[in-house]
């Protein structure tokens, strides 16, 4: 290695090597490595690869380094690792060095690829597109991987920034498991989706001076600030960011450091991004900072022409970089010390990875200087949430499962159960054109207006009730606060004192619709906002001063925002009464109906994982993926695997769905106000039907108690009237008392079938070994 490892890096590499040593003689193992942004993950893994090669000369393996995101993260990783290792082991960038003539990956070689290019599928055929090396001279990269394994070279897969790309995680796993087939997988991220095996402590990184001590939010923005009449919130945060950069630059020059701090300005990925760029350019032009003189760079698409390596130089001329997260994924610049983030519609969230862009120290050391040892964030939000990357599941269902058959006939026979379904309020929660009369009535009631009065009469009454006709639209901006870097490891809310600043024109409509969103009383925002906006506009047009047609929308929005408390009250009253009427008309009583499991079911491809199970009623068995960790429910999977071992007792089992829909089996509880959907229906060989729900020990104890007792009552009532030829019902809550962390498997299942539910840790006497329950069935 050309560089020396810090103490915490040395410990992390040693821990990783222990895991690799333990797994080299096994197959298909995954190691999860969690280290905070700025700690040097790439550097540590580079050292790991070098030492694995040196320590295991008798073993034949190579590395496939896979980066995620639509940017150029794989190129950055390639250049960094190559620099760290000095050419040994050999580093290869697939885009440049792998063509059709390359038939396999050589021993110890490190190949850098982009996941998104690898896992792209043809929407019509479902086949891998294989855009890399596609059919060049007869070889594709899929062929290269197959030939590499055929030659006996084991593939170690390294997944860089493994938290990114939640929308393609299922395809990544499929490609990994069916095409790459790695011997060992190393996932690394500051915010991994799975439980980490090796963790780098943030405090140790700070102590070594690798990342800054904290984040100072909106420094200098407080209630003592005197503002010009025409300054809005966007100009305010730009001005404060500019002033802070000048202060930092003077301090670096004073201590003789070459660092020229960089200001990052994040704009929305979608709507209004171009409008923000105009505001930014106009402001910076007045400070002598333009694209032409090289002090401003803009990175909003893949075609950005500036040198993304040169900008990282400590003394580079670039002072400001405007970027979108979507195109700059994974990119970092250690001299970046200030982040300006504009309001992104109604979004008030920062991803930890975004904050991490300004956490690295420019020279990988502490300056023992509070000004230089902190990062600075300026935003025109009143509060925000630091959050991990979110996931928006795909709702298109393209995959089918069907009843298992035996000798050409379905194994399923009637179970004759009574299911309960109660429609959720969301089924009846949309405002439509009929909402207008509700809003007008509450509007007139608030101001003491007779319905139909002319504005010459109504406006004085409205003013008399406190309506401000002078439009003055402000927004709250967070006053100065300090945030410790140590607080950025977990999801949290950030808030503090605020001051009022004139809102920018581009944000007025967002604030207006946010007022609507906050006063819906359960109505669905997306399906209701148009009708509610229409009611507000028409009512004010009718009762307020005449508004020119071309100015109607903006005038109404500004008038509402200038009188937020009044209109929030009117709107809340109107939506409450409107929704009460919807619920009344909808007849919200739940329904009971004869229930049989349907012969087939459709699933979404990316949200479910196929599980091999001989006894599952549906073939193939598909289990939902938990989007927070990219895995199925391990407790449910372990119980399924246990049932699969008991073919002597179990004929089939069916996994109930999680969605709130009549297709799933439900039991009434909370006096009919709620529906409980147990996890499993099991058909035993002797005809007995079991209904079971798996729960972690100690999980939501009171909720579990209510559901358990509802299940007991359902079974008792059903057995009282159930024909003997259909088989009796049994069931209860199932827990596990043993967990194997290596295999991630739950064991030692217990079941509670009692009328009065008591948690296991309180009294275990009511909990029967599930194995004993099965023996009792056999003996009966």
């Amino acid at each position: 290695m050309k560089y020396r490892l810090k103490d915490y890096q040395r410990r992390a590499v040693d821990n990783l090597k222990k895991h690799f040593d333990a797994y080299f003689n096994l197959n298909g193992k995954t190691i999860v490595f969690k280290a905070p942004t700025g700690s040097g993950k790439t550097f540590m893994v580079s050292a790991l690869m070098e030492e694995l090669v040196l320590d295991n000369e008798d073993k034949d393996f190579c590395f496939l380094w896979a980066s995620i995101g639509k940017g150029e993260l794989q190129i950055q990783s390639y250049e960094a690792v190559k620099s760290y290792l000095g050419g040994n082991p050999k580093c290869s960038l697939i885009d440049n060095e792998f063509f059709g003539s390359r038939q396999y990956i050589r021993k110890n070689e490190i190949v850098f690829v982009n996941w998104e290019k690898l896992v792209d599928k043809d929407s019509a055929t479902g086949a891998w597109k294989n855009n890399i090396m596609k059919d060049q001279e007869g070889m594709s990269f899929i062929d290269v991987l197959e030939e590499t394994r055929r030659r006996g070279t084991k593939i170690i897969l390294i997944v860089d920034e493994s938290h990114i790309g939640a929308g393609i995680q299922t395809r990544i796993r499929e490609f990994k498991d069916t095409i790459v087939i790695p011997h060992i997988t190393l996932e690394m991220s500051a915010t991994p989706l799975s439980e980490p095996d090796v963790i780098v402590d943030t405090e140790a990184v700070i102590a070594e001076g690798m990342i800054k001590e904290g984040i100072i939010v909106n420094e200098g923005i407080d209630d003592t600030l005197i503002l010009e009449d025409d300054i809005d919130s966007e100009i305010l945060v730009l001005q404060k960011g500019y002033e802070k950069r000048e202060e930092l630059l003077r301090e670096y020059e004073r201590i003789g450091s070459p660092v020229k701090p960089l200001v990052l300005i994040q704009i929305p990925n979608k709507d209004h991004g171009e409008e923000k760029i105009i505001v930014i350019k106009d402001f910076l032009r007045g400070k002598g900072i333009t694209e032409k003189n090289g002090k401003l760079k803009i990175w909003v698409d893949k075609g950005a022409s500036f040198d993304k390596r040169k900008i990282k130089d400590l003394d580079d001329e670039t002072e400001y970089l405007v970027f979108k997260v979507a195109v700059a994924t994974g990119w970092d610049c250690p001299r970046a010390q200030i982040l300006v983030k504009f309001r992104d519609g109604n979004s008030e969230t920062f991803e930890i990875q975004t904050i991490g862009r300004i956490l690295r120290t420019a020279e990988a050391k502490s300056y023992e200087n509070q000004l230089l040892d902190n990062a600075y964030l300026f935003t025109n939000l009143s509060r925000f949430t630091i959050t991990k990357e979110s996931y928006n599941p795909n709702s298109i269902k393209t995959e089918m499962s069907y009843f298992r058959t035996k000798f050409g006939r379905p194994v399923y026979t009637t179970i004759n159960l009574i299911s309960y379904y109660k429609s959720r309020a969301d089924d009846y929660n949309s405002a439509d054109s009929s909402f207008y009369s509700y809003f007008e009535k509450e509007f007139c009631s608030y101001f003491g207006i007779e319905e139909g009065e002319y504005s010459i009469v109504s406006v004085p009454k409205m003013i008399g009730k406190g309506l401000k006709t002078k439009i003055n639209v402000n927004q709250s901006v967070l006053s100065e606060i300090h945030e410790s870097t140590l607080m950025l490891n977990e999801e949290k809310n950030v808030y503090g004192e605020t001051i009022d600043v004139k809102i920018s024109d581009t944000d007025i409509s967002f604030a207006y619709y946010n007022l609507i969103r906050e006063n819906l009383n359960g109505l669905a925002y997306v399906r209701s906002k148009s009708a509610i906006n229409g009611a507000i506009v028409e009512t004010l047009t009718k009762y307020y001063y005449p508004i020119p047609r071309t100015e109607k929308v903006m005038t109404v929005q500004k008038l509402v925002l200038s009188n937020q408390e009044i209109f929030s009250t009117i709107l809340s009253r109107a939506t409450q009464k409107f929704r009460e009427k919807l619920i009344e008309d909808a007849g919200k009583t739940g329904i009971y109906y004869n229930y049989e499991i349907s012969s087939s079911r459709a699933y979404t491809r990316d949200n479910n994982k196929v599980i091999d199970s001989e006894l599952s009623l549906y073939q193939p068995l598909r289990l939902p993926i938990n989007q927070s960790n990219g895995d199925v429910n391990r407790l449910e999977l372990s119980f399924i695997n246990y049932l699969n071992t008991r073919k002597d007792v179990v004929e089939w089992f069916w996994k109930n769905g999680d969605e709130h829909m009549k297709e799933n089996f439900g039991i009434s509880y909370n006096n009919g106000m709620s529906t409980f959907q147990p996890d499993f229906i099991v058909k035993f060989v002797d005809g007995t039907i079991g209904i079971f729900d798996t729960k972690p020990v100690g999980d939501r104890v009171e909720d579990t108690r209510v559901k358990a007792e509802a299940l007991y009552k359902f079974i008792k009532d059903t057995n009282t009237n159930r024909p003997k030829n259909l088989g009796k019902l049994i069931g209860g809550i199932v827990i596990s008392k043993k967990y194997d962390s290596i295999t991630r498997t739950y064991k030692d299942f217990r079941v509670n079938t009692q009328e009065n539910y008591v948690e296991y840790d309180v009294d275990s006497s009511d909990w029967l070994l599930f194995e004993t329950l099965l023996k009792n069935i056999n003996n009966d």
Side-chain angles (χ1 to χ4, degrees):
M1 286 288 288
K2 295 170 60 178
Y3 307 92
R4 189 180 70 83
L5 292 166
K6 302 279 189 180
D7 289 344
Y8 74 85
Q9 294 173 333
R10 179 71 266 168
R11 290 193 297 271
V13 171
D14 289 343
N15 285 336
L16 288 168
K17 286 172 63 178
K18 289 178 182 178
H19 280 78
F20 271 86
D21 290 343
Y23 291 160
F24 255 130
N25 294 324
L26 303 175
N27 193 42
K29 292 295 184 179
T30 296
I31 303 166
V32 180
F33 179 34
K34 178 179 179 180
T37 301
S39 60
K41 290 186 294 295
T42 301
F43 180 47
M44 286 183 275
V45 175
S46 298
L48 170 70
M49 292 188 293
E50 181 183 60
E51 293 182 21
L52 288 175
V53 168
L54 293 175
D55 295 345
N56 298 277
E57 293 181 353
D58 58 328
K59 294 182 174 67
D60 188 356
F61 57 89
C62 64
F63 301 95
L64 183 65
W65 184 297
S67 299
I68 300 178
K70 298 182 183 298
E72 300 174 341
L73 184 55
Q74 78 278 7
I75 299 176
Q76 298 173 50
S77 299
Y78 162 73
E79 292 173 345
V81 174
K82 187 176 181 181
S83 172
Y84 292 145
L85 297 178
N88 186 32
K90 176 179 172 56
C91 296
S92 302
L93 185 63
I94 191 170
D95 307 71
N96 297 342
E97 300 178 44
F98 266 68
F99 300 96
S101 58
R102 286 292 304 270
Q103 297 183 353
Y104 60 92
I105 303 173
R106 300 184 181 96
K107 178 181 178 181
N108 298 339
E109 186 177 11
I110 309 168
V111 179
F112 294 80
V113 299
N114 181 287
W115 265 133
E116 304 218 11
K117 293 180 182 179
L118 285 178
V119 303
D120 199 14
K121 277 193 171 185
D122 188 300
S123 58
T125 65
W128 301 109
K129 283 187 177 180
N130 196 14
N131 291 325
I132 301 176
M133 298 177 59
K134 186 175 181 179
D135 297 328
Q136 296 177 358
E137 300 183 24
M139 289 291 289
S140 71
F141 191 66
I142 291 177
D143 297 328
V144 168
L145 293 172
E146 183 176 354
E147 179 62 16
T148 299
R149 291 193 308 274
R150 191 191 69 79
R151 289 172 173 264
T153 302
K154 292 180 169 60
I155 298 173
I156 295 176
L157 175 64
I158 297 172
V159 184
D160 191 9
E161 301 292 357
S162 59
H163 69 284
I164 302 175
I168 61 168
Q169 285 292 334
T170 300
R171 274 187 286 138
I172 287 175
R173 283 192 297 275
E174 181 182 355
F175 192 91
K176 167 193 162 186
D177 294 339
T178 62
I179 303 298
V180 179
I181 315 177
H183 183 64
I184 298 174
T185 300
L186 174 64
E187 297 179 0
M188 60 176 180
S189 171
T191 55
L193 300 177
S194 302
E195 189 70 19
D197 300 291
V198 178
I199 301 175
V200 171
D201 182 62
T202 305
E203 195 165 310
V205 185
I206 296 173
E208 290 278 5
M210 294 291 287
I211 59 178
K212 300 182 179 78
E213 293 179 2
I215 301 282
I216 299 176
V217 182
N218 282 1
E219 184 182 38
I221 299 179
D222 55 38
D223 57 7
T224 64
L225 189 65
I226 300 175
L227 301 173
E228 298 174 10
D229 290 340
D230 60 346
I231 189 171
D232 64 36
S233 63
E234 293 177 345
I235 299 301
L236 173 63
V237 295
L238 285 171
Q239 177 66 32
K240 287 299 176 182
Y242 172 81
E243 293 172 359
K244 178 51 63 177
R245 185 188 180 277
E246 294 297 300
E247 182 182 7
L248 289 170
L249 181 60
R250 289 193 297 269
E251 187 65 8
Y252 279 119
E253 290 174 347
R254 187 188 69 79
I255 67 172
S257 170
V259 175
K260 293 183 178 179
L262 178 69
V263 179
L264 303 180
I265 304 179
Q266 181 186 337
I267 61 174
N269 281 329
K270 297 180 181 178
D271 299 336
H272 303 282
E274 296 303 316
E275 296 175 18
K276 305 293 185 186
I277 291 177
I278 293 173
V279 173
I280 295 165
K281 283 186 172 181
D282 286 344
F283 172 83
L284 293 178
R285 189 181 300 112
K287 306 293 185 183
I289 300 165
T290 66
E291 289 180 274
K292 187 175 182 179
N293 63 24
K295 295 182 179 181
L296 171 65
K297 302 292 192 302
I298 296 179
W299 191 4
V300 295
D301 56 48
K302 292 183 180 179
S305 59
F306 66 91
D307 189 337
K308 301 177 189 66
R309 288 172 293 183
K310 184 177 181 296
I311 197 175
K312 296 184 180 185
D313 292 346
L314 296 181
D315 59 352
D316 183 75
E317 64 181 354
T318 308
E319 297 177 2
Y320 285 78
L321 173 65
V322 179
F323 73 102
K324 291 183 177 180
V325 172
V327 298
T329 296
W331 181 86
D332 68 88
C333 178
R335 69 185 182 94
Q337 196 160 357
I338 301 168
L339 173 65
V340 176
K341 186 182 187 302
F342 288 147
R343 180 185 297 271
D344 188 355
N346 284 322
S347 173
E348 296 186 352
T349 63
F350 292 162
E351 291 178 7
I352 290 173
Q353 298 290 329
T354 301
I355 297 290
R357 296 177 186 276
I358 56 173
L359 285 182
R360 290 176 172 84
T361 52
E363 298 177 274
K365 68 178 183 180
S366 170
Y367 297 97
E368 303 298 326
N369 181 315
Q370 283 300 300
L371 175 63
L372 301 182
D373 284 341
N374 282 290
Y376 301 87
L377 167 65
F378 296 95
T379 177
N380 60 348
L381 296 174
S382 61
R383 61 181 293 162
F384 60 89
T385 299
I386 299 172
T387 180
K388 297 183 180 181
E389 187 181 24
S390 58
Y391 177 82
N392 183 23
N394 180 358
S395 60
I396 300 175
K397 298 181 177 181
T398 60
E399 308 301 306
M400 295 297 299
S401 291
Y402 302 92
F403 277 165
R404 179 164 58 89
T405 60
K406 188 175 183 179
F407 305 121
R409 297 171 62 87
V411 297
Y412 180 80
T413 56
T414 181
I415 56 175
N416 193 30
L417 296 178
I418 302 297
S419 183
Y420 180 77
Y421 175 78
K422 181 181 184 298
S423 299
R424 287 178 172 167
D426 286 346
D427 297 333
Y428 306 96
N429 69 343
S430 301
D432 54 22
S433 58
S434 63
F435 177 75
Y436 172 82
S437 62
Y438 285 82
F439 184 82
E440 182 184 22
K441 183 177 180 179
E442 294 303 321
F443 180 91
C444 291
S445 174
Y446 185 93
F447 290 114
I449 299 170
E450 294 293 328
E451 291 189 31
E453 280 186 345
Y454 291 107
S455 60
I456 193 172
V457 179
S458 61
V459 170
K461 291 182 179 179
M462 293 161 65
I463 294 173
K465 288 288 186 177
L467 183 78
K468 300 172 186 175
T469 57
K470 181 181 179 181
I471 295 176
N472 180 24
V473 183
N474 291 332
Q475 73 178 95
S476 293
V477 173
L478 194 64
S479 292
E480 176 182 331
I481 62 173
H482 294 207
E483 278 297 312
S484 167
T485 303
L486 295 175
M487 301 300 291
L488 296 175
N489 292 324
E490 302 297 336
E491 188 167 309
K492 62 169 293 186
N493 293 322
V494 180
Y495 52 90
E497 299 298 323
T498 62
I499 63 170
D500 286 336
V501 184
K502 177 185 174 184
I503 194 171
S504 63
D505 287 347
T506 57
D507 285 337
I508 285 176
S509 63
F510 292 120
Y512 169 78
Y513 280 106
N514 196 50
L515 182 143
I516 292 177
R517 185 193 294 271
E518 291 176 350
N519 292 281
L520 291 173
N521 285 303
L523 294 177
Y525 171 71
V526 173
R527 298 196 297 270
S528 302
K529 66 177 183 178
S530 179
I532 293 175
N533 174 59
I536 296 172
V537 171
E538 290 305 312
T539 301
L540 284 172
T541 300
K542 185 175 181 178
Y543 293 100
Y544 191 62
Y545 294 125
I547 304 172
R549 182 180 60 83
T550 57
E551 300 176 12
K552 182 182 292 186
V553 173
M554 187 56 67
T555 299
V556 167
Q557 290 182 357
K558 288 183 177 180
L559 182 64
V560 169
L561 292 177
S562 296
N563 298 274
Q564 292 192 39
E565 185 174 346
I566 290 174
F567 282 96
S568 291
T569 299
I570 295 171
L571 182 58
S572 181
R573 290 173 180 174
T575 55
Q576 180 67 35
K577 292 182 179 179
F578 182 78
R579 188 161 185 269
E580 287 173 355
K581 181 62 175 173
L582 286 180
I583 293 174
E584 179 184 342
D585 292 345
K588 301 303 290 182
T589 304
I591 60 171
Y592 292 91
Y593 56 100
N594 291 325
Y595 184 81
E596 299 292 341
I597 300 172
S598 60
S599 60
S600 63
R601 174 164 291 196
Y603 298 86
T604 58
R605 175 178 297 179
D606 288 343
N607 292 351
N608 296 277
K609 181 177 182 179
V610 174
I611 302 295
D612 183 28
S613 174
E614 182 180 352
L615 295 185
S616 171
L617 178 61
Y618 277 161
Q619 293 293 329
L621 170 63
R622 302 177 193 271
L623 294 183
I625 296 171
N626 184 328
Q627 304 307 333
S628 66
N629 61 17
D631 198 4
V632 300
N633 184 307
R634 302 299 298 188
L635 177 59
E636 292 179 355
L637 178 60
S638 298
F639 186 62
I640 287 169
N641 290 335
Y642 170 74
L643 293 177
N644 283 328
T645 66
R646 296 308 307 268
K647 290 189 290 185
D648 57 321
V649 186
V650 177
E651 184 175 337
W652 55 257
F653 70 84
W654 176 71
K655 176 67 178 68
N656 200 7
D658 296 327
E659 310 94 333
H660 186 80
M661 53 196 297
K662 289 180 69 176
E663 189 176 3
N664 296 322
F665 173 69
I667 292 172
S668 168
Y669 76 108
N670 279 344
N671 297 317
M673 294 299 294
S674 305
T675 304
F676 165 40
Q677 296 178 179
D679 293 329
F680 296 95
I681 294 179
V682 181
K683 174 70 177 297
F684 294 98
V685 173
D686 72 342
T688 300
I689 301 293
I691 303 176
F692 302 103
D693 194 65
T694 54
K695 294 288 184 185
V697 176
D699 179 56
R700 302 174 64 185
V701 174
E702 181 58 25
D703 181 67
T704 300
R705 181 190 66 78
V706 174
K707 290 178 177 178
E709 292 177 0
L711 176 57
Y712 176 88
K713 184 178 185 304
F714 173 82
I715 292 172
K716 180 180 178 182
D717 292 347
T718 301
N719 281 333
T720 300
N721 303 305
R722 188 171 176 80
K724 291 185 178 180
N725 64 314
L726 291 177
K728 70 175 181 178
L729 255 60
I730 62 173
I733 303 298
V734 174
I735 64 168
S736 163
K737 288 304 297 174
K738 288 184 181 179
Y739 177 69
D740 186 330
S741 59
I742 296 177
T743 61
R744 299 170 66 201
T745 301
Y746 290 88
K747 303 175 181 179
D748 188 17
F749 293 102
R750 312 291 178 97
V751 60
N752 186 306
T753 62
Q754 300 303 306
E755 179 176 7
N756 298 309
Y757 179 86
V758 179
E759 179 68 12
Y760 182 89
D761 288 341
V762 176
D763 185 357
S764 62
S765 61
D766 287 341
W767 291 83
L768 187 69
L769 281 169
F770 202 88
E771 188 69 22
T772 302
L773 180 140
L774 296 184
K775 289 180 180 178
N776 292 340
I777 293 174
N778 263 338
N779 293 334
D780 290 346

